Amino acid sequence: MLDDHCLVTEGYLKQIHPGSLAARIGLPVDDESADYLVVNRMLLLWPVDENGLIQGEDAYSSGPASITKLSLDELPRQYVDLVHGSRDASPRA
């Protein structure tokens, strides 16, 4: 939605978190060595000036809609390489 003063977007933000980070930010995880898909319902407000330029961002969420433990095979290769380095040396399809 867009009016003269604000662009409003809403939807789901999906992020993968290492279990240790998830625990540090207060998410209920049972294994800090695992990785979790965290899905949040988000509302974003983008204030717009008189020239139609976005001037900022305000985001709101009521907390996770779901938290799912992922197996190593479910993780994207780039994530494994970035977060875990050489934790898994086997090739992926």
Side-chain angles (χ1 to χ4, degrees), residues 7-45:
L7 171 65
V8 179
T9 57
E10 60 86 22
Y12 291 96
L13 174 66
K14 299 177 181 182
Q15 296 175 298
I16 299 173
H17 290 295
S20 59
L21 171 65
R24 276 198 313 271
I25 63 174
L27 298 176
V29 297
D30 63 359
D31 181 358
E32 289 192 22
S33 67
D35 298 278
Y36 293 84
L37 175 63
V38 179
V39 179
N40 286 290
R41 179 86 180 193
M42 301 287 297
L43 172 72
L44 292 110
L45 304 172

Side-chain angles (χ1 to χ4, degrees), residues 5-91:
H5 306 287
C6 192
L7 171 65
V8 179
T9 57
E10 60 86 22
Y12 291 96
L13 174 66
K14 299 177 181 182
Q15 296 175 298
I16 299 173
H17 290 295
S20 59
L21 171 65
R24 276 198 313 271
I25 63 174
L27 298 176
V29 297
D30 63 359
D31 181 358
E32 289 192 22
S33 67
D35 298 278
Y36 293 84
L37 175 63
V38 179
V39 179
N40 286 290
R41 179 86 180 193
M42 301 287 297
L43 172 72
L44 292 110
L45 304 172
W46 311 82
V48 178
D49 71 11
E50 62 278 353
N51 297 313
L53 300 175
I54 293 175
Q55 298 301 301
E57 171 187 337
D58 290 310
Y60 300 92
S61 174
S62 61
S66 66
I67 302 171
T68 306
K69 185 188 290 187
L70 301 173
S71 70
L72 190 59
D73 290 340
E74 294 175 294
L75 297 170
R77 167 53 71 191
Q78 287 180 302
Y79 173 87
V80 172
D81 292 345
L82 179 65
V83 174
H84 299 293
S86 60
R87 179 169 117 177
D88 174 34
S90 62

